[in-house]
Amino acid sequence: MSENCALRRANVLANHILQSPPHPSNNSLAREACLQYTPPEVNESYGFQVKEMRKLLDGHNLEDRDWLYGIIIQSNLFNRKERGGGKVFVSPDYNETMEQQREISMKRIMYFLENGVFQGWLTETSPEAELKKFALYEVCGMYDYSLSAKLGVHFLLWGNAIKFFGTKRHHEKWLKDTEDYLVKGCFAMTELGHGSNVKGIETVTSYDPRTEEFVINTPCESAQKYWIGEAAIHANHAIVISQLEINETNQGIHVFIAQIRDQDGNICPNIRTADCGHKIGLNGVDNGRIWFDNLRIPRENLLNSVADVSPDGEYVSAIKNPDQRFGAFLAPLTSGRVTIASCAIYSAKVGLAVAIRYSLSRRAFSAVANGPEVLLLDYPSHQRRLLPLLAKTYAMSFAANDMKMMYVKRTPETNKEIHVISMGLKALLTWHNMRTLQECREACGGQGLKTENRVGHLKGDYDVQTTFEGDNNVLMQQVSKSLFAEYVSCKKRNKPFKGLGLEHMNSPRPVLPTQLTSSTLRCSHFQKNVFCLRERDLLERYTCEVAELQERGKSREFSFLLSHQLSEDLSKAFAEKAILQAVLDAEAKLPAGSIKDVMGLVRSMYALICMEEDPSFLRYGYLSRDSVGDVRREVSKLCRELRPHALALVTSFGIPDAFLGPIAFNWIEANAWS
Amino acid sequence: MASETQVLVDDKSSVRILTLNRPKQLNALNSNMITLLMQLFLEYEEDPNVKIVILKGQGRAFCVGGDPLPVFRDIVIQGLGKSWRVGADFFSEQYKLDHFMATYSKVQISILNGIVMGGGAGISVHGRFRIATEKTVFAMPETELGLFPDVGASYFLSRLPGFFGEYVGLTGARLDGAEMLACGLATHFVPSSRLNALEADLCKVGSSDPVTFASAILNAYTKHPKLKQHSAYYRQVLDVIDRCFSRRTMEEIISALEKEATEKPNEWISATIRALKKASPASLKISLRSIREGRFQGVGQCLIQIITTTCLTMQGCRAVVIDKDRNPKWEPRSLEEMKDNMVERYFERVDEEDGWEDLKLSPRKNLPALIIAKL
């Protein structure tokens, strides 16, 4: 290292002396003055076992993940490119047309099918099988989110709808064929006029007892099915979500199976489809629109786990309350949210791995005259931009893992909790990903603009995550409403809080110290108290405000709407606390040692950056102005302490080099002439 | 044979020609040869006069790899307790040499005019140029011996096109010179009758840039031999290899091959299935895992992982090489009995309390440019 410094100095001096264009005989000297790429590994050391950290982060099915990474890298279907000294990269070719991207995405899926990637995705139900599915799904999304979105439509929406809403006859007929891609499914729920508000869907289905058929209709243009993934080209069957009208009585939302194309891909009679067109990302997915013109389907095509229609046209349901029936229908969307949230974190990991590796090999400006240029990540400002996002990504990674575990081990008793947590985390994690990608894009400078470097394009591809399977803002309002309901119900029945992490509300309100020393700020007990205090106080304020509005004669729904500011603060407080709890749980399981130490730094960074960023702490007085200043100083200190671990922390993501961009490695050689 | 003559040195101004000289043992590497090679390669890296190092073998082999017999003998004599330590010493020297070659700053040209197996691949494939001839026979036969492809093979096998590396590493399939060239294990193919002339030309390196110079000479000599009639490197066979050897587990690989064999029976596929069924189930699973992990590791990491795995493997599989009755009884006997957690054990870190030390590879100067090995 000292040799390098000396050399660089000599070069700076030489350049200084030779300010006029160098003499031709000094060619060798001029060449020496060029920048040299030094891999971050040369000057950074690992303070902990990255392999062990990766086990914690990925949490499950590491070998399956590596296998899928491997079959992507080794195949020619994935736009494999060699750059800079034989380094191989795989990444979709975004210069292809939308049509080409859709075709190649389907080919990639068929390649996975041949290799048995989807084995058991619908036909096996053990927690192990579900975790394996999650792991493989996450890897697909790191290559190209179009693949995950296509698989999500086929397996998680079409397949799971049959699994959860259907009964034995549907399972036998469809599940195995879906797994083998003998049928290609789509999920026709959202319409031009209704997205988040599923109850308002206008597509209507009636029953004809003479032929024992259902008849599906699109009564007006706003009822056209819109954004239906795979509907423009690939799908030959659709789940249709529609109002069911029996004897002129609307029985609410029901779920049907309709064939929309024949085996050769020709559109069926009484169906019209159109393309949704080019999008800001995810162009490998053929989103389409569907109209139904008196489409007749057999009576058996009603997915009848919740309700059925008898051959002579009588409506039967075990659940009498239409609202509850509606809730039962929407339950499968949970698995979609779980995968969206976990994929978002893997995308953030790609962005951070690229940006941090680049910041450890790229220099800019000298701190002293003629001195060597400074490594980007040695700038405190650059640390402040990237390292808190890194810590948050770590924390959210543990929260996503906990959520997956909770989901695969779900019971009727835990359903509500999973529902609420998955809404909160889906929103927070997808927002975090978008923000992280933007910061990483900027941190890569101009290089971040090139699609080969991944970060920039991920933004376009992952943006949809904040909208689909529940608009983030709507989901967060739901979180607050659920907390409200929980609060009201516990108070009314005078029962202690249980579940949703609200047990702390049974203890006295925590008191925070006025003087915050460094060690207090890093103490997990203190951090947890701060987060609990915020959640508790906001929940009380929110319920109070809603109750006051109701007392003043406003309807319950309208009162919720008016309390949107508190609702926003509360749902964030809830989700951020759930994430902190996940890190604390992960940390508690670790034996003393280097990994536990660095996890402590990561957790403190997560907790303190949340405190620094959320104005609630100051607004509602949980922290004083002085305390907020102390928090800010501590964040800066933590940046310095995490800096030496930056490389090890992103290496622990376990992302193969081929999945990152050329700027994460020797970007000089990758950009050299020839 | 006097130990110093086991590696012959020919001094040709800017070129050093090293000849492995244990022809009766097919130039199997013993610790003396490994030490000698290490000393010589170190010396040449420092010596500004040396531009090119040529490595070849005396007789009908280039090198059949590490000579395991003395090592295994020691293990038996010393008993089980310390067995990994004896192995560790032998293998760590060998892997250090492999790593040194993989990151060598001078031009290494290996002339593979004969048999190349196991450790023989380790001291050649990591180098810049590998010359195959019509006499070359290459194989990684470890799974048949109850071991697994080591010497950084998880690095170079995993980087062969498609899933050819899995095929070569798991079945121990023999490759000839033409196939080595086609898959990239060899960089050039020169008929053996032209080797003397080639060497003579290489010795004229003078003051020119040795990489450019050697490339130009080698390109002038190289031929593009036709693949033999039943080569596994023809597209239709490669497609089968890619379809089957890409599968997630050893069991799935075999059943995919069996399915192909039922649909389109041929000699190649039956031989492939036979080889896999004859191999040690434990070795197959460890090898597969090692190649798959190696795909994401640098050559140094591959070697560090491998020494751990090797030494653990030796404990498990030692009986086989010594009982030379060619009818090995593997433990466990079937793939199903070799559970995932048993494979996992070979890849975990060994506790340092037991006196274990991870392979310490000496830091290499010039590493920045060379951190990616040359394959």
Side-chain angles (χ1 to χ4, degrees):
Chain A
M1 191 56 205
S2 62
E3 246 181 41
N4 278 348
C5 278
L7 190 64
R8 198 168 291 121
R9 263 179 178 240
N11 286 328
V12 171
L13 279 173
N15 281 341
H16 202 67
I17 297 161
L18 299 168
Q19 272 196 339
S20 52
H23 198 263
S25 69
N26 278 332
N27 264 346
S28 62
L29 190 63
R31 270 176 62 186
E32 287 294 314
C34 275
L35 290 178
Q36 279 231 334
Y37 174 79
T38 305
E41 283 82 359
V42 171
N43 296 320
E44 307 287 321
S45 58
Y46 293 162
F48 56 89
Q49 285 289 322
V50 291
K51 215 174 151 180
E52 295 306 310
M53 187 64 106
R54 185 194 164 195
K55 282 186 196 165
L56 297 174
L57 281 176
D58 275 340
H60 58 97
N61 298 84
L62 272 71
E63 257 196 280
D64 294 307
R65 293 171 196 270
D66 283 350
W67 166 65
L68 188 50
Y69 285 134
I71 69 168
I72 290 174
I73 295 168
Q74 292 304 101
S75 162
N76 289 324
L77 265 181
F78 294 83
N79 193 31
R80 193 184 147 95
K81 279 194 177 138
E82 267 192 34
R83 293 289 306 274
K87 202 93 188 149
V88 170
F89 293 99
V90 288
S91 156
D93 179 357
Y94 295 111
N95 202 27
E96 287 179 333
T97 63
M98 175 179 85
E99 289 77 12
Q100 287 168 324
Q101 290 187 48
R102 291 168 174 183
E103 280 322 299
I104 191 76
S105 299
M106 205 61 216
K107 276 194 190 140
R108 286 168 184 153
I109 288 177
M110 290 301 123
Y111 168 75
F112 289 157
L113 178 72
E114 277 170 32
N115 273 288
V117 172
F118 312 131
Q119 243 166 50
W121 275 30
L122 285 168
T123 52
E124 284 175 35
T125 50
S126 65
E128 293 74 30
E130 290 210 74
L131 284 175
K132 184 176 169 190
K133 176 171 71 180
F134 283 143
L136 296 176
Y137 192 84
E138 286 155 6
V139 171
C140 292
M142 289 165 81
Y143 174 74
D144 181 1
Y145 197 51
S146 279
L147 291 181
S148 293
K150 284 173 102 72
L151 295 172
V153 166
H154 183 71
F155 287 99
L156 303 180
L157 294 175
W158 156 266
N160 274 351
I162 293 174
K163 205 164 155 177
F164 294 128
F165 305 142
T167 49
K168 195 157 169 265
R169 68 172 187 241
H170 303 111
H171 297 164
E172 283 167 1
K173 186 166 176 192
W174 301 103
L175 291 185
K176 183 75 174 72
D177 280 1
T178 298
E179 208 170 281
D180 297 340
Y181 267 92
L182 296 175
V183 293
K184 291 178 188 157
C186 66
F187 188 79
M189 181 164 83
T190 48
E191 297 174 355
L192 179 59
H194 290 89
S196 292
N197 181 13
V198 178
K199 278 186 196 172
I201 271 172
E202 294 174 286
T203 301
V204 63
T205 299
S206 55
Y207 182 70
D208 182 351
R210 288 168 304 158
T211 56
E212 297 188 11
E213 283 173 321
F214 288 108
V215 186
I216 310 179
N217 265 297
T218 303
C220 52
E221 280 301 4
S222 61
Q224 63 178 279
K225 293 294 179 187
Y226 210 103
W227 287 127
I228 312 309
E230 306 291 283
I233 298 173
H234 291 129
N236 46 36
H237 284 74
I239 292 287
V240 182
I241 313 277
S242 157
Q243 306 288 349
L244 174 62
E245 261 179 26
I246 299 285
N247 302 326
E248 284 164 37
T249 311
N250 184 6
Q251 297 292 350
I253 292 296
H254 286 73
V255 185
F256 303 87
I257 294 176
Q259 183 165 2
I260 58 169
R261 287 192 177 83
D262 65 19
Q263 280 305 324
D264 301 327
N266 304 310
I267 260 318
C268 291
N270 304 77
I271 299 270
R272 284 174 289 149
T273 61
D275 207 304
C276 288
H278 195 260
K279 305 184 294 279
I280 58 166
L282 282 194
N283 280 302
V285 184
D286 50 313
N287 291 92
R289 303 138 68 190
I290 310 175
W291 292 257
F292 302 96
D293 308 317
N294 282 314
L295 177 74
R296 291 183 163 262
I297 57 167
R299 189 184 67 92
E300 291 73 28
N301 282 17
L302 168 67
L303 295 176
N304 59 341
S305 71
V306 176
D308 208 351
V309 174
S310 69
D312 55 359
E314 200 180 327
Y315 184 80
V316 261
S317 176
I319 307 177
K320 292 285 172 251
N321 179 341
D323 275 343
Q324 278 178 12
R325 225 154 47 208
F326 178 73
F329 279 133
L330 291 191
L333 288 180
T334 306
S335 88
R337 284 183 200 129
V338 171
T339 53
I340 288 167
S342 68
C343 282
I345 285 309
Y346 278 94
S347 154
K349 286 177 180 173
V350 172
L352 284 164
V354 172
I356 287 182
R357 288 190 62 90
Y358 185 57
S359 73
L360 289 168
S361 69
R362 171 80 187 203
R363 293 169 183 274
F365 302 106
S366 310
V368 287
N370 292 332
E373 288 183 293
V374 178
L375 215 47
L376 295 188
L377 202 61
D378 285 334
Y379 284 97
S381 55
H382 210 74
Q383 294 168 9
R384 174 61 187 79
R385 286 169 67 190
L386 295 177
L387 299 182
L389 293 172
L390 177 63
K392 278 188 156 183
T393 302
Y394 259 71
M396 291 177 180
S397 191
F398 290 107
N401 282 347
D402 283 1
M403 174 174 56
K404 284 189 274 179
M405 290 302 164
M406 203 195 236
Y407 177 78
V408 301
K409 294 178 185 161
R410 64 193 175 277
T411 60
E413 292 74 49
T414 60
N415 269 344
K416 186 173 78 186
E417 185 152 0
I418 295 168
H419 184 65
V420 178
I421 293 210
S422 70
M423 288 193 292
L425 290 187
K426 186 266 185 185
L428 223 56
L429 271 54
T430 57
W431 273 328
H432 167 74
N433 177 38
M434 291 310 294
R435 184 184 156 199
T436 302
L437 290 175
Q438 180 63 26
E439 197 63 67
C440 290
R441 208 294 294 151
E442 291 177 38
C444 291
Q447 289 293 329
L449 300 171
K450 298 181 70 168
T451 48
E452 70 174 17
N453 291 326
R454 311 253 16 223
V455 186
H457 208 280
L458 288 176
K459 288 194 298 168
D461 277 348
Y462 277 82
D463 201 336
V464 67
Q465 285 198 326
T466 61
T467 297
F468 68 11
E469 306 248 349
D471 171 89
N472 279 3
N473 291 290
V474 175
L475 291 181
M476 287 303 250
Q477 286 164 10
Q478 293 288 341
V479 168
S480 292
K481 279 195 217 171
S482 305
L483 294 174
F484 171 90
E486 189 68 19
Y487 185 89
V488 171
S489 131
C490 285
K491 289 290 165 198
K492 206 191 233 166
R493 287 181 294 151
N494 205 15
K495 279 202 167 169
F497 290 94
K498 194 167 174 291
L500 294 171
L502 295 177
E503 291 82 357
H504 65 93
M505 309 261 303
N506 302 320
S507 321
R509 216 179 155 90
V511 178
L512 303 178
T514 2
Q515 291 290 326
L516 296 180
T517 62
S518 179
S519 66
T520 312
L521 286 165
R522 293 189 189 201
C523 161
S524 57
H525 186 69
F526 164 77
Q527 293 160 1
K528 191 150 178 224
N529 275 345
V530 176
F531 278 60
C532 286
L533 179 63
R534 173 178 58 155
E535 179 182 64
R536 166 191 205 122
D537 184 70
L538 285 168
L539 181 49
E540 285 163 359
R541 282 172 192 266
Y542 180 63
T543 46
C544 197
E545 189 171 296
V546 171
E548 268 174 31
L549 286 164
Q550 282 181 290
E551 275 166 29
R552 280 194 262 143
K554 303 272 191 293
S555 76
R556 189 169 132 134
E557 278 309 309
F558 196 60
S559 310
F560 282 139
L561 293 188
L562 292 176
S563 310
H564 68 98
Q565 286 175 322
L566 275 168
S567 162
E568 193 186 323
D569 291 342
L570 168 62
S571 53
K572 187 176 181 193
F574 167 80
E576 285 188 345
K577 203 207 80 193
I579 294 165
L580 178 65
Q581 190 57 50
V583 199
L584 287 169
D585 292 345
E587 196 185 339
K589 284 184 211 137
L590 291 170
S594 49
I595 291 201
K596 199 182 182 94
D597 294 344
V598 81
M599 279 280 284
L601 292 178
V602 166
R603 183 250 308 147
S604 286
M605 176 65 103
Y606 168 76
L608 296 181
I609 199 67
C610 289
M611 292 182 211
E612 196 199 292
E613 286 174 351
D614 186 3
S616 293
F617 292 101
L618 204 54
R619 182 186 297 138
Y620 302 107
Y622 315 134
L623 296 174
S624 66
R625 252 182 81 179
D626 283 349
S627 297
V628 168
D630 293 334
V631 167
R632 198 171 167 80
R633 266 186 298 282
E634 201 63 21
V635 165
S636 184
K637 251 169 89 185
L638 278 165
C639 281
R640 282 201 296 282
E641 288 174 48
L642 276 173
R643 160 66 186 85
H645 296 294
L647 181 66
L649 288 169
V650 295
T651 305
S652 302
F653 290 156
I655 307 169
D657 296 356
F659 276 61
L660 305 178
I663 46 158
F665 302 94
N666 191 340
W667 40 269
I668 295 178
E669 207 173 335
N671 286 291
W673 179 259
S674 88
Chain B
M1 193 181 296
S3 59
E4 58 274 22
T5 63
Q6 292 179 344
V7 178
L8 303 174
V9 182
D10 195 357
D11 199 333
K12 295 267 171 81
S13 67
S14 296
V15 177
R16 298 289 178 278
I17 304 176
L18 306 182
T19 308
L20 305 175
N21 187 31
R22 278 178 92 204
K24 277 187 192 157
Q25 289 84 11
L26 300 173
N27 300 324
L29 293 174
N30 56 25
S31 29
N32 171 53
M33 291 162 85
I34 291 168
T35 314
L36 266 174
L37 285 171
M38 192 69 175
Q39 280 167 2
L40 292 167
F41 269 81
L42 262 170
E43 183 190 318
Y44 300 154
E45 183 156 77
E46 300 293 316
D47 184 347
N49 294 319
V50 178
K51 297 274 180 80
I52 294 176
V53 185
I54 296 177
L55 185 63
K56 58 184 190 172
Q58 187 70 266
R60 62 193 184 91
F62 169 75
C63 170
V64 292
D67 186 352
L69 280 180
V71 179
F72 283 110
R73 221 173 281 137
D74 287 351
I75 293 170
V76 175
I77 293 163
Q78 299 203 4
L80 268 176
K82 291 187 171 169
S83 57
W84 58 257
R85 194 180 294 274
V86 186
D89 292 341
F90 175 80
F91 287 109
S92 70
E93 290 313 306
Q94 192 184 345
Y95 297 162
K96 278 179 192 165
L97 177 63
D98 295 338
H99 182 250
F100 197 75
M101 289 171 159
T103 54
Y104 205 47
S105 63
K106 301 256 163 113
V107 175
Q108 181 191 345
I109 302 176
S110 305
I111 300 179
L112 311 175
N113 188 30
I115 307 166
V116 189
M117 287 188 182
I123 56 165
S124 55
V125 176
H126 297 298
R128 171 91 57 183
F129 297 112
R130 294 85 63 182
I131 317 302
T133 75
E134 77 286 354
K135 291 183 183 166
T136 308
V137 182
F138 173 96
M140 298 302 284
E142 285 85 351
T143 56
E144 204 187 323
L145 303 171
L147 300 167
F148 74 101
D150 57 350
V151 295
S154 59
Y155 181 83
F156 62 75
L157 289 178
S158 65
R159 278 155 181 82
L160 297 186
F163 298 85
F164 199 67
E166 269 96 339
Y167 163 69
V168 170
L170 294 170
T171 62
R174 270 59 174 160
L175 304 182
D176 63 16
E179 290 167 326
M180 279 189 84
L181 181 69
C183 75
L185 281 167
T187 55
H188 297 82
F189 182 97
V190 178
S192 59
S193 57
R194 306 266 288 144
L195 289 175
N196 285 338
L198 171 70
E199 274 181 36
D201 275 351
L202 286 170
C203 290
K204 295 174 190 155
V205 53
S207 62
S208 46
D209 171 55
V211 177
T212 324
F213 174 82
S215 293
I217 300 282
L218 289 168
N219 288 342
Y221 275 86
T222 198
K223 293 271 174 279
H224 288 279
K226 269 200 171 153
L227 293 171
K228 66 180 180 234
Q229 202 192 343
H230 295 294
S231 170
Y233 215 76
Y234 280 113
R235 191 67 252 168
Q236 62 271 36
V237 187
L238 279 185
D239 286 344
V240 179
I241 290 176
D242 284 350
R243 271 203 298 279
C244 301
F245 285 88
S246 57
R247 296 305 173 97
R248 163 72 182 80
T249 62
M250 214 43 240
E251 288 90 335
E252 285 172 72
I253 290 174
I254 291 181
S255 77
L257 284 164
E258 285 173 342
K259 190 164 161 267
E260 295 271 348
T262 336
E263 284 163 12
K264 275 193 194 156
N266 65 56
E267 188 39 47
W268 173 83
I269 206 155
S270 350
T272 302
I273 296 171
R274 265 201 312 280
L276 291 175
K277 297 226 158 141
K278 203 174 147 204
S280 149
S283 295
L284 287 176
K285 287 203 171 177
I286 294 168
S287 306
L288 182 63
R289 166 86 181 256
S290 146
I291 294 169
R292 297 260 161 102
E293 276 200 357
R295 201 156 265 146
F296 312 117
Q297 293 172 332
V299 67
Q301 281 171 290
C302 283
L303 287 162
I304 291 169
Q305 175 62 60
I306 270 171
I307 192 157
T308 316
T309 316
T310 305
C311 295
L312 293 166
T313 317
M314 295 216 322
Q315 282 182 308
C317 309
R318 72 200 177 285
V320 181
V321 181
I322 300 161
D323 314 337
K324 272 201 161 170
D325 68 353
R326 287 267 151 204
N327 192 13
K329 295 194 176 37
W330 302 119
E331 190 59 46
R333 275 185 294 182
S334 70
L335 287 170
E336 289 69 30
E337 287 169 60
M338 184 72 187
K339 304 277 184 229
D340 287 353
N341 58 351
M342 295 159 74
V343 178
E344 183 66 35
R345 279 215 313 268
Y346 291 90
F347 291 85
E348 274 166 6
R349 269 174 60 80
V350 177
D351 276 343
E352 277 159 24
E353 305 155 25
D354 298 343
W356 175 265
E357 274 181 34
D358 273 342
L359 183 62
K360 296 270 190 304
L361 297 170
S362 51
R364 306 278 287 125
K365 57 179 180 180
N366 299 328
L367 199 58
L370 296 161
I371 204 156
I372 304 159
K374 298 163 195 106
L375 189 79

